[in-house]
Amino acid sequence: MTSPKQNPTGAKFRPLSVDKIKVGGFFGPRMDTISTVTARTLFERCIEAWMLDQVDPELPNPGLVIPFQHSNTVTTQMFWDSDFGKSIETAAYALNHKPDAELEALVDDVIDAYGRLQQDDGYLNSWYIRIEPGQRWTNLRDRHELYNAGHLIEGAVAYFHATGKRKFLDIMCRYADHIGQVFGPGDNQLKGYPGHPELELALVKLGRVTGEQRYLDLAKYFVDQRGQQPNYFEEEAKRRNEKEGGFHFGTLEYCQAHKPVREQDKVVGHAVRAAYLYAGMADVATEFGDDTLTKPLETLWSHLVDRNLYIHGGFGPSAQNEGLTFDYDLPNATAYAETCAAVALVFWASRMLGRGPDGRFADIMEQALYNNALAGLSLDGTKFFYDNPLESLGDHHRWTWHRCPCCPPNISRLVASIGSYFYGVSENEIAVHLYNASRAEIALADGPVTLEQITDYPNDGAIMIKVEADQPRHFTLSLRIPGWAKSASVTVNGETITAEPQAGYIRIDRCWQGGDKVALVLDLSPRRVFAYPKVSVDQGRTALMCGPFVYCLEEVDNGADLNSVILPDDAPLTAAPSGELGGIIRLSAPALRETAQNDTLYQAMPPRRRETDLTAIPYHVWDNREPGAMLTWVRREV
Amino acid sequence: MTSPKQNPTGAKFRPLSVDKIKVGGFFGPRMDTISTVTARTLFERCIEAWMLDQVDPELPNPGLVIPFQHSNTVTTQMFWDSDFGKSIETAAYALNHKPDAELEALVDDVIDAYGRLQQDDGYLNSWYIRIEPGQRWTNLRDRHELYNAGHLIEGAVAYFHATGKRKFLDIMCRYADHIGQVFGPGDNQLKGYPGHPELELALVKLGRVTGEQRYLDLAKYFVDQRGQQPNYFEEEAKRRNEKEGGFHFGTLEYCQAHKPVREQDKVVGHAVRAAYLYAGMADVATEFGDDTLTKPLETLWSHLVDRNLYIHGGFGPSAQNEGLTFDYDLPNATAYAETCAAVALVFWASRMLGRGPDGRFADIMEQALYNNALAGLSLDGTKFFYDNPLESLGDHHRWTWHRCPCCPPNISRLVASIGSYFYGVSENEIAVHLYNASRAEIALADGPVTLEQITDYPNDGAIMIKVEADQPRHFTLSLRIPGWAKSASVTVNGETITAEPQAGYIRIDRCWQGGDKVALVLDLSPRRVFAYPKVSVDQGRTALMCGPFVYCLEEVDNGADLNSVILPDDAPLTAAPSGELGGIIRLSAPALRETAQNDTLYQAMPPRRRETDLTAIPYHVWDNREPGAMLTWVRREV
């Protein structure tokens, strides 16, 4: 990775690329499954869905396969390039984790098809080239054209890191260069930007891997231009002679283009768009040392985390706009909380760490990752949640595929690349954001070091970090102390570190020697969480957590009618390992169960009560056994 | 009213027509408001919405005013005749209650326009005559063509009863005769039936007022033919070359045409369609003494009441199909519970009383009427609820008008004709289903009697019924004892009646003299109701009731964050009259309020508690003061 040097002041913390880290422990089996099952499954389902037919000019044109929707302006078929982009990205990480010549050949075939599809001027979008030729760049707002480019770029960057093959990267550089000619401040350039943000963060990845400043500049252009007056999307709609009602979602808040990004102070609209945009903004803030983005980003962050975040780290309660509604609107049974939005929040949070370690961001990254995001993928790697309610009457289950299959490759690429979220690395500091058994090669100004994490975290609170270096290296090792940890202790080579955490991290600045051992112990004892009174549906209820995991009750463990179970505030919670579900920690507690006095729907007598035992499992593994009801916020009683 | 005589056995209990009963007491002011405000408002809003332009061939054709929806097959503009039909019906009852020459002239103008619109063959539908000529009878399933006819017929019958004018009745008889020629068992007749039931019950009304058996026969034909194989709607769709997905709702359960009505045992699909159909079935069962309909009707009734009815008497939780989902799915905040569905349930319940008094039906009629239905109309008579959630975070308010304005005239016509629901009358029995100050002239086999009810019910449990008759009359007076009444006492001329209720009614068979006085006292003390454990969202909660009224908490009385209020099971409930909101009985109770330990969204400490007082008002008057949050099911604690 070549690092551009346009930030005159302040450290920049960048992630490791996946080829620099080997991951085992908690995430190891999930990554194995992606390598052996999911990566291939994604390609097969994309191809079954006619996607390759649309991409490959040598195949018969499939025409319109998925009907138009939303005032007949959009079909999810327009987004197919993004599905391939994320599938290629997943496959790249999977190949890095476990080589597989057959899978690699499958990916190469798709890349070759994109090579054949690319136009002489570099343009590359299968919908506009093959289904609606002549219409390119006419509806940035609705049709995901630049979004598709972003996902293909991310796929290309990942494939290059994993395999060293440049072909797809070169294709996407040509397309990025074409986009850079079409869009920009010049007289003959369009002043547009992505209707669905994503390209911004992709261009930063492209800039980082190629060392080309122009891709970073283009990312910054898209960020800076967004929401400026005259509003590009409004002007563009006039040029299309758009009819009233032609914009299904009605408000430019939907795509966060209602005002310039530096004036935005509320997380609004489509959740995935929002978090991708903010992630791109954070990347630009990091790469350009742009402090004018810092305050808006922190204000947006607070608006999300203080008022609009589900306990499982998801956000966006409404199916109608796949996004935000109003503050504290966090219904459980109807929560949309799209898997992609939780994945996007991990992206955003990880990029908020670009200016330095800060527990505010890393804690939420962990919460979104281990709960809402991870729930998106079944343990066997074949099924996917799109929306993630916190309560189900038994009718919510993972899909094999979806008409809008954005989530399957999104959660897959996140899990398959999870190692790159563990560390933030500047010239002379390594921030450990996430704990998981792994071995990472890290380049610092003072030379290379290897960090090995030995741990069963998050199922166990003991974490050992071993430093390997061929000679002493001077750097700061910053260890995240999760906000939820009631206690934490750190020793270096057996010697206790007494420093208090700064911004959620214990920072150990020293000259490290090969063989140094850092031991961190986090208190993982189970705990209750209570929601602020304005979160109406959670009142009289408690959520159970253990480390980063949010727990839930499933019918298979607790019987039906989960809202008839009451957990007294003073009932002790017991955590115990279970061989089930990939080796989870179960929680149990003495509880009460209510039963009706008779069979009528409404009755004059309150229910009877008897003693029972409650069993809870981590939210992310729910719906992996017998289908049934699920409940996250459990009735409590003083 | 001429009574057809086609029922060889068993009594038939029919309602009084509105001109036979004067209503005061609880409903008096609501009816006054409809007469002075609402009836005219409905016409003005219909006319503002371009409806008269569509009906009157002398006015320029408005063309498409409301866009198509649902796969571009339906616009609510197709239903405009029904809106006029219900508005005429409302106006008719309003005129009966309070003559108003200006309003009558307005109605006559609309009726004249329908006269001009009617085709030579009798056909009468403004959409198909003026907007899509040549398309009539091509899509009974989706386009409400026969439904519109039904509402116009109901309007015509009401207008005849109220004014004695035959013009509209004659117009609608001609149209009904045309429909009777087009549809029927004959070789050259279509085997169809209404996609949206309603015409069935309207034809029974038409048969009763005209004494013409053919209208009853046609009602029975539509009931009998529904859901028979080959399925008419499927055949019709083939004739239209309907594309896949052309039926937006996908299943014939949506319109209760999935199987013959006598085989139906679950209330499914669109709630209003369902209840209108069952109402028509009950009417046919009564008029034809058709016992083959009795068991299906009672099975359907039980399925609704035992598993799918909201405490406020509404049903149909889902906005998606405006109807049913699965058993015990009764969410509060997202409850659709359309006003029209509660009104339709009153219709259905009242018709289930056609074979004789039965508290099962009358209790639910009362519950739907005084809660969900009545909530549909603001106290000032100008605003309307479409959907009726049982909980609101403060963002749910009555509409001035709606793109699909079915509910405003529906609740208005119900309230304006409420007197006709008080009694069921057979040749020698008067069943008193509802108590309300009123004076009714009733024709029995033994001669006419007048019953005067003197009462403030449902705000007071004391009901006096005075018999007026010029000579002794022998009949049974059956007094409903509501199932919720903990105690009830009845005296006749001061002498206690000790008989136990039969099917929820105390039946007093005697030779009544003018001046006889029946005194009934019902215990209206407030009570708690608890939901069956399978109603997930209501667990740990209680609903408060007083007589037929369901109560709710409003923010204006209780402050925000209503789910922070806890009502202990042992807290005494106090009922007291209030001058507010038209003179309601308020409930109050000592309660607890929780407040958070700090401002964070999720916190480690449970909320603090302090003592507070809870104030509840009848659900039907909520959202008539300052807008704010509302809650029906209150948190309870042992």
Side-chain angles (χ1 to χ4, degrees):
Chain A
M1 183 165 64
T2 310
S3 299
K5 290 279 185 283
Q6 69 281 60
N7 183 359
T9 60
K12 298 174 186 178
F13 288 78
R14 299 199 182 84
L16 299 179
S17 61
V18 286
D19 51 310
K20 301 299 182 204
I21 182 161
K22 285 281 165 207
V23 177
F26 175 81
F27 275 106
R30 304 298 296 251
M31 293 172 71
D32 294 346
T33 302
I34 289 174
S35 288
T36 55
V37 178
T38 314
R40 185 178 307 249
T41 299
L42 293 176
F43 274 91
E44 285 169 358
R45 291 185 189 156
C46 284
I47 290 168
E48 275 167 27
W50 299 73
M51 292 187 188
L52 190 56
D53 302 74
Q54 177 167 299
V55 170
D56 192 343
E58 292 183 353
L59 295 177
N61 192 324
L64 187 68
V65 175
I66 301 179
F68 279 88
Q69 59 195 54
H70 298 168
S71 321
N72 281 347
T73 54
V74 175
T75 149
T76 57
Q77 190 173 341
M78 293 170 171
F79 324 153
W80 279 0
D81 289 333
S82 73
D83 301 318
F84 259 141
K86 283 183 282 190
S87 297
I88 292 169
E89 189 182 344
T90 303
Y93 303 140
L95 291 171
N96 179 74
H97 184 68
K98 233 185 232 299
D100 178 340
E102 214 175 309
L103 176 62
E104 190 166 336
L106 190 58
V107 180
D108 285 337
D109 284 348
V110 173
I111 289 171
D112 288 344
Y114 273 106
R116 287 190 289 276
L117 181 69
Q118 188 165 39
Q119 307 291 285
D120 289 343
D121 60 2
Y123 184 81
L124 186 59
N125 178 297
S126 64
W127 172 269
Y128 280 113
I129 293 172
R130 300 199 73 211
I131 312 293
E132 283 201 327
Q135 299 294 310
R136 63 163 94 160
W137 311 134
T138 57
N139 188 347
L140 297 186
R141 188 192 65 199
D142 299 336
R143 293 186 154 193
H144 294 41
E145 199 169 4
L146 290 169
Y147 164 89
N148 285 327
H151 277 304
L152 289 172
I153 287 171
E154 285 202 272
V157 171
Y159 202 63
F160 170 71
H161 278 309
T163 64
K165 294 185 191 170
R166 287 201 63 94
K167 179 170 183 175
F168 196 29
L169 190 65
D170 291 341
I171 289 171
M172 293 317 298
C173 283
R174 279 200 298 279
Y175 187 23
D177 291 337
H178 173 72
I179 293 171
Q181 285 157 14
V182 172
F183 295 92
D187 285 348
N188 296 321
Q189 289 177 296
L190 297 177
K191 303 293 169 292
Y193 40 85
H196 192 314
E198 142 66 19
L199 180 56
E200 300 86 342
L201 71 86
L203 285 168
V204 172
K205 280 192 177 178
L206 191 62
R208 285 174 174 168
V209 74
T210 61
E212 296 292 349
Q213 178 67 28
R214 65 178 182 277
Y215 300 131
L216 301 174
D217 291 342
L218 186 56
K220 186 171 189 304
Y221 175 75
F222 286 138
V223 165
D224 292 347
Q225 182 58 23
R226 190 170 205 88
Q228 300 289 351
Q229 285 297 332
N231 189 285
Y232 186 82
F233 295 152
E234 288 174 354
E235 299 295 308
E236 184 192 61
K238 283 182 211 157
R239 288 197 293 275
R240 283 197 306 273
N241 296 314
E242 184 173 270
K243 279 186 274 187
E244 207 186 305
F247 183 27
H248 178 75
F249 293 98
T251 166
L252 290 174
E253 289 193 351
Y254 174 71
C255 43
Q256 299 82 34
H258 54 302
K259 46 180 152 176
V261 298
R262 287 173 183 79
E263 296 170 22
Q264 296 191 21
D265 55 4
K266 289 194 162 53
V267 176
V268 294
H270 186 267
V272 181
R273 287 170 209 245
Y276 280 176
L277 170 63
Y278 311 146
M281 286 163 63
D283 268 346
V284 168
T286 298
E287 292 300 337
F288 289 83
D290 185 345
D291 286 327
T292 65
L293 287 166
T294 306
K295 186 157 185 300
L297 280 167
E298 298 212 346
T299 304
L300 290 163
W301 183 266
S302 293
H303 183 245
L304 177 68
V305 170
D306 296 345
R307 300 182 177 207
N308 290 288
L309 190 69
Y310 280 106
I311 188 74
H312 68 5
F315 72 110
S318 169
Q320 193 274 326
N321 66 345
E322 301 190 305
L324 284 298
T325 52
F326 52 90
D327 288 354
Y328 303 108
D329 182 32
L330 294 163
N332 291 317
T334 61
Y336 198 69
E338 187 183 331
T339 299
C340 280
V343 170
L345 179 54
V346 173
F347 295 166
W348 179 22
S350 70
R351 284 157 175 85
M352 293 297 278
L353 298 164
R355 311 299 294 279
D358 189 326
R360 283 182 297 166
F361 309 123
D363 280 3
I364 297 297
M365 175 169 76
E366 188 183 56
Q367 194 169 348
L369 170 64
Y370 283 103
N371 300 292
N372 187 346
L374 210 47
L377 182 61
S378 67
L379 285 174
D380 68 2
T382 65
K383 294 205 180 73
F384 310 91
F385 275 138
Y386 195 104
D387 47 324
N388 294 273
L390 293 90
E391 176 179 1
S392 165
L393 293 179
D395 55 339
H396 188 75
H397 308 295
R398 290 185 184 80
W399 297 71
T400 300
W401 200 235
H402 199 279
R403 197 171 68 166
C404 180
C406 50
C407 299
N410 218 1
I411 177 58
S412 300
R413 69 181 178 137
L414 173 62
V415 173
S417 63
I418 196 63
S420 66
Y421 295 84
F422 294 175
Y423 296 101
V425 180
S426 73
E427 294 197 342
N428 53 13
E429 181 170 349
I430 302 173
V432 193
H433 302 312
L434 297 175
Y435 300 107
N436 192 91
S438 57
R439 182 180 173 81
E441 295 161 27
I442 301 172
L444 296 166
D446 202 24
V449 297
T450 296
L451 294 189
E452 180 156 17
Q453 287 193 41
I454 302 165
T455 181
D456 283 329
Y457 184 91
N459 287 339
D460 187 281
I463 299 139
M464 169 74 76
I465 300 177
K466 284 166 60 180
V467 178
E468 295 174 23
D470 55 0
Q471 51 180 280
R473 305 289 182 201
H474 187 186
F475 63 93
T476 303
L477 183 68
S478 297
L479 301 173
R480 173 172 156 258
I481 307 301
W484 47 257
K486 282 179 200 151
S487 68
S489 66
V490 182
T491 61
V492 176
N493 300 329
E495 200 168 307
T496 299
I497 303 290
T498 56
E500 286 296 303
Q502 300 167 35
Y505 286 73
I506 290 180
R507 307 181 77 169
I508 310 169
D509 182 25
R510 58 184 275 166
C511 191
W512 295 90
Q513 314 276 345
D516 279 350
K517 289 183 183 173
V518 180
L520 168 64
V521 180
L522 298 173
D523 180 356
L524 287 188
S525 54
R527 63 193 191 277
R528 288 171 167 84
V529 177
F530 307 90
Y532 192 65
K534 293 204 172 297
V535 187
S536 183
V537 291
D538 296 341
Q539 300 311 303
R541 295 176 180 271
T542 185
L544 305 181
M545 295 190 72
C546 192
F549 291 123
V550 173
Y551 276 68
C552 68
L553 273 56
E554 270 201 303
E555 183 171 339
V556 60
D557 295 316
N558 296 282
D561 307 334
L562 297 172
N563 267 322
S564 295
V565 176
I566 301 160
L567 179 63
D569 279 0
D570 59 1
L573 306 175
T574 306
S578 153
E580 257 197 313
L581 293 165
I584 56 162
I585 305 292
R586 274 175 185 271
L587 295 186
S588 60
L592 301 168
R593 174 175 281 276
E594 292 182 338
T595 54
Q597 302 267 7
N598 59 57
D599 285 349
T600 56
L601 191 54
Y602 301 111
Q603 29 197 289
M605 295 295 292
R608 292 192 194 89
R609 293 179 163 202
R610 60 175 171 76
E611 293 184 355
T612 188
D613 291 307
L614 163 163
T615 297
I617 60 163
Y619 176 87
H620 77 91
V621 293
W622 89 275
D623 194 42
N624 274 290
R625 296 174 295 173
E626 284 171 48
M630 179 276 292
L631 182 68
T632 305
W633 287 93
V634 183
R635 284 175 61 194
R636 60 175 280 252
E637 202 165 85
V638 173
Chain B
M1 183 163 66
T2 311
S3 298
K5 292 277 185 284
Q6 70 281 60
N7 183 358
T9 61
K12 298 174 188 178
F13 287 79
R14 299 200 183 85
L16 299 180
S17 60
V18 285
D19 51 309
K20 301 299 182 206
I21 182 160
K22 284 283 164 208
V23 177
F26 175 81
F27 275 106
R30 304 297 298 249
M31 293 172 71
D32 294 345
T33 303
I34 289 174
S35 289
T36 54
V37 178
T38 315
R40 185 178 307 245
T41 299
L42 294 175
F43 273 91
E44 285 168 357
R45 292 185 187 155
C46 284
I47 290 168
E48 275 167 28
W50 298 74
M51 292 188 187
L52 190 56
D53 302 74
Q54 178 167 298
V55 171
D56 192 344
E58 292 184 352
L59 295 177
N61 192 324
L64 187 67
V65 175
I66 299 178
F68 279 89
Q69 59 195 54
H70 298 167
S71 320
N72 282 348
T73 54
V74 176
T75 148
T76 56
Q77 190 173 343
M78 293 169 170
F79 323 154
W80 279 359
D81 288 334
S82 73
D83 301 318
F84 260 141
K86 283 184 281 188
S87 297
I88 292 169
E89 188 181 346
T90 303
Y93 303 140
L95 291 171
N96 180 74
H97 184 67
K98 231 184 235 300
D100 177 340
E102 214 174 308
L103 176 62
E104 190 165 336
L106 190 58
V107 179
D108 286 336
D109 283 349
V110 174
I111 289 170
D112 288 344
Y114 272 107
R116 289 191 288 275
L117 181 70
Q118 189 164 39
Q119 306 292 286
D120 290 343
D121 59 3
Y123 184 80
L124 185 58
N125 178 296
S126 65
W127 172 269
Y128 280 113
I129 293 173
R130 300 199 73 214
I131 313 291
E132 283 201 329
Q135 298 296 308
R136 62 163 96 159
W137 311 134
T138 56
N139 188 349
L140 296 185
R141 188 192 65 200
D142 299 335
R143 293 187 153 194
H144 294 40
E145 199 169 2
L146 290 168
Y147 164 88
N148 285 327
H151 277 304
L152 289 172
I153 287 171
E154 285 202 271
V157 172
Y159 202 64
F160 172 71
H161 278 308
T163 64
K165 294 183 191 171
R166 285 201 65 92
K167 180 170 183 176
F168 196 30
L169 190 64
D170 291 340
I171 289 171
M172 293 317 299
C173 283
R174 279 202 297 280
Y175 187 22
D177 291 337
H178 173 72
I179 293 170
Q181 286 158 13
V182 172
F183 295 92
D187 285 347
N188 295 321
Q189 290 178 295
L190 297 177
K191 304 294 171 290
Y193 40 86
H196 191 314
E198 142 68 17
L199 180 56
E200 301 85 343
L201 70 88
L203 285 167
V204 172
K205 280 192 176 178
L206 191 63
R208 285 174 174 170
V209 74
T210 61
E212 295 293 350
Q213 178 67 28
R214 65 179 181 277
Y215 300 133
L216 301 173
D217 290 343
L218 185 55
K220 185 170 189 304
Y221 174 76
F222 285 138
V223 165
D224 291 347
Q225 182 58 23
R226 190 170 206 86
Q228 300 290 350
Q229 286 296 334
N231 187 286
Y232 185 81
F233 295 150
E234 288 175 353
E235 299 295 308
E236 184 192 58
K238 282 182 212 157
R239 288 198 292 274
R240 281 196 307 275
N241 296 313
E242 183 172 88
K243 278 185 275 187
E244 206 186 304
F247 183 26
H248 177 77
F249 294 99
T251 166
L252 290 173
E253 289 193 352
Y254 174 73
C255 43
Q256 299 82 37
H258 53 301
K259 46 181 153 174
V261 299
R262 288 171 182 78
E263 295 169 24
Q264 296 190 22
D265 56 4
K266 289 195 163 53
V267 176
V268 294
H270 186 266
V272 181
R273 286 171 208 243
Y276 280 176
L277 170 65
Y278 311 146
M281 288 164 62
D283 268 346
V284 167
T286 298
E287 291 301 337
F288 290 83
D290 185 345
D291 286 327
T292 66
L293 287 167
T294 305
K295 186 156 184 300
L297 279 168
E298 298 212 347
T299 304
L300 290 163
W301 183 266
S302 294
H303 182 245
L304 177 68
V305 170
D306 296 345
R307 300 181 176 207
N308 291 288
L309 190 69
Y310 280 106
I311 188 75
H312 68 5
F315 72 110
S318 169
Q320 194 273 328
N321 66 345
E322 302 190 305
L324 284 298
T325 52
F326 52 90
D327 287 356
Y328 303 107
D329 182 32
L330 294 163
N332 291 317
T334 60
Y336 199 68
E338 189 183 331
T339 299
C340 280
V343 169
L345 178 54
V346 173
F347 296 165
W348 180 22
S350 69
R351 284 155 175 86
M352 293 297 280
L353 298 164
R355 310 300 291 280
D358 190 326
R360 283 182 297 167
F361 309 123
D363 280 2
I364 297 296
M365 176 169 75
E366 189 183 55
Q367 194 170 347
L369 170 63
Y370 283 103
N371 299 293
N372 186 349
L374 209 47
L377 181 61
S378 67
L379 285 174
D380 68 1
T382 64
K383 294 204 181 73
F384 310 92
F385 276 138
Y386 195 104
D387 46 325
N388 293 274
L390 293 90
E391 176 178 1
S392 165
L393 293 179
D395 54 338
H396 188 74
H397 308 295
R398 290 184 183 82
W399 296 72
T400 301
W401 200 236
H402 199 280
R403 198 171 70 166
C404 180
C406 50
C407 299
N410 218 0
I411 177 58
S412 300
R413 69 182 179 137
L414 173 61
V415 173
S417 64
I418 195 64
S420 65
Y421 296 84
F422 293 175
Y423 297 101
V425 180
S426 74
E427 294 196 343
N428 52 12
E429 182 170 351
I430 302 172
V432 194
H433 302 312
L434 296 176
Y435 299 107
N436 192 91
S438 56
R439 183 179 172 84
E441 295 161 26
I442 301 172
L444 296 166
D446 202 22
V449 295
T450 296
L451 294 190
E452 181 157 17
Q453 288 194 40
I454 302 165
T455 181
D456 285 328
Y457 184 91
N459 288 338
D460 187 281
I463 299 139
M464 167 74 76
I465 299 178
K466 283 167 61 181
V467 178
E468 296 175 24
D470 55 0
Q471 51 181 282
R473 307 289 184 200
H474 186 186
F475 63 94
T476 303
L477 183 67
S478 296
L479 302 173
R480 173 174 157 256
I481 308 300
W484 48 258
K486 282 179 199 150
S487 69
S489 66
V490 182
T491 63
V492 176
N493 300 328
E495 201 167 304
T496 299
I497 303 290
T498 56
E500 286 297 303
Q502 300 168 33
Y505 286 72
I506 290 180
R507 307 181 76 169
I508 311 168
D509 183 25
R510 58 185 277 165
C511 192
W512 295 90
Q513 314 277 344
D516 279 350
K517 289 182 185 170
V518 182
L520 167 64
V521 179
L522 298 173
D523 180 356
L524 289 188
S525 53
R527 63 196 191 275
R528 287 171 167 82
V529 176
F530 306 90
Y532 192 65
K534 292 206 172 295
V535 188
S536 183
V537 290
D538 296 341
Q539 299 312 302
R541 295 175 181 272
T542 184
L544 304 180
M545 294 190 71
C546 189
F549 292 122
V550 173
Y551 276 68
C552 69
L553 274 55
E554 268 201 305
E555 183 172 340
V556 62
D557 295 316
N558 296 282
D561 306 334
L562 297 171
N563 268 322
S564 296
V565 176
I566 302 160
L567 179 63
D569 279 359
D570 59 2
L573 305 175
T574 306
S578 153
E580 258 198 313
L581 294 164
I584 56 163
I585 305 291
R586 273 173 186 271
L587 296 186
S588 59
L592 300 169
R593 175 175 280 277
E594 292 182 338
T595 53
Q597 302 267 6
N598 59 56
D599 285 350
T600 57
L601 191 55
Y602 301 111
Q603 29 198 287
M605 296 295 294
R608 293 191 193 91
R609 292 178 165 203
R610 60 175 171 77
E611 293 185 353
T612 189
D613 290 308
L614 163 163
T615 297
I617 61 164
Y619 176 87
H620 76 92
V621 293
W622 89 274
D623 194 42
N624 274 290
R625 297 173 295 172
E626 285 170 48
M630 180 276 291
L631 182 69
T632 305
W633 287 93
V634 183
R635 285 175 58 195
R636 60 174 280 254
E637 203 166 86
V638 172

